[in-house]
Amino acid sequence: MATNRTFTMIKPDAVADGNSGAIIKMIEEAGFRIVAMKKALLTQTRAGEFYAVHAERPFYADLCEYMSSGAIVPMILEKENAVADFRKLIGATDPTKADEGTIRKLFAKSMSANAIHGSDSDENAAIESSFFFAGLEQF
Ligand SMILES: Nc1ncnc2c1ncn2[C@@H]1O[C@H](COP(=O)(O)OP(=O)(O)OP(=O)(O)O)[C@@H](O)[C@H]1O
């Protein structure tokens, strides 16, 4: 299977609770190589751009407010079958439905404060990676 990349972002609840280190450890132990990483704060406008695909959904305003409520840790990750394997590692969007041992089962609090994001396709992984890391060298 080909090595490829995905994009992830540790969300404000998990960063504020001091869980970034534990989550990064799980990601590395699952075999993902960190290609790029930083700590950043999204404005509500930038959060709205990131989640523009959800603009018509009823939770959009709350999602943008929440995603700009504290620091986040965006990363580009590399592994064989990265997008699908990472979705498995993070678990279901709703933490009550997430499998045992997944990041969301361990760290998510609710549907919105669900600890982590993972891209859902190779195409979106590339778009989301550029959103945070455009113009930076990657290695
Ligand atoms: N019904 C909902 N109520 C509140 N927040 C929601 C709801 N559905 C989705 N969200 C929020 O919007 C984010 C994006 O929704 P999406 O359906 O793309 O889920 P996902 O792909 O599991 O999550 P992500 O894109 O963050 O990895 C979710 O992670 C969650 O934080």
Side-chain angles (χ1 to χ4, degrees), residues 11 51 54 59 63 87 93 104 111-112 114 117-118:
K11 295 187 177 183
Y51 281 113
H54 293 307
F59 58 81
L63 179 62
R87 298 281 289 184
T93 311
R104 282 173 168 160
M111 276 289 269
S112 51
N114 63 359
H117 163 80

Side-chain angles (χ1 to χ4, degrees), residues 8-11 13-15 19-30 32 75 77 85-110 113-118:
T8 184
M9 165 166 68
I10 304 176
K11 295 187 177 183
D13 57 298
V15 176
N19 291 325
S20 306
I23 291 172
I24 291 166
K25 188 164 189 281
M26 283 182 74
I27 291 171
E28 289 193 309
E29 284 178 353
F32 292 86
M75 288 176 263
L77 305 174
D85 283 3
F86 195 73
R87 298 281 289 184
K88 268 186 228 148
L89 179 66
I90 68 177
T93 311
D94 179 348
T96 65
K97 299 194 175 115
D99 289 340
E100 289 299 329
T102 60
I103 292 173
R104 282 173 168 160
K105 183 71 178 184
L106 288 166
F107 298 109
K109 296 193 180 109
S110 66
N114 63 359
I116 193 159
H117 163 80

Side-chain angles (χ1 to χ4, degrees), residues 5-60:
R5 290 181 175 186
T6 190
F7 171 81
T8 184
M9 165 166 68
I10 304 176
K11 295 187 177 183
D13 57 298
V15 176
D17 290 348
N19 291 325
S20 306
I23 291 172
I24 291 166
K25 188 164 189 281
M26 283 182 74
I27 291 171
E28 289 193 309
E29 284 178 353
F32 292 86
R33 186 176 78 81
I34 298 171
V35 175
M37 175 167 67
K38 64 183 173 185
K39 191 168 187 178
L41 191 61
L42 284 173
T43 61
Q44 279 206 33
T45 304
R46 285 283 281 166
E49 286 166 16
F50 186 86
Y51 281 113
V53 63
H54 293 307
E56 304 305 322
R57 308 277 287 276
F59 58 81
Y60 179 68

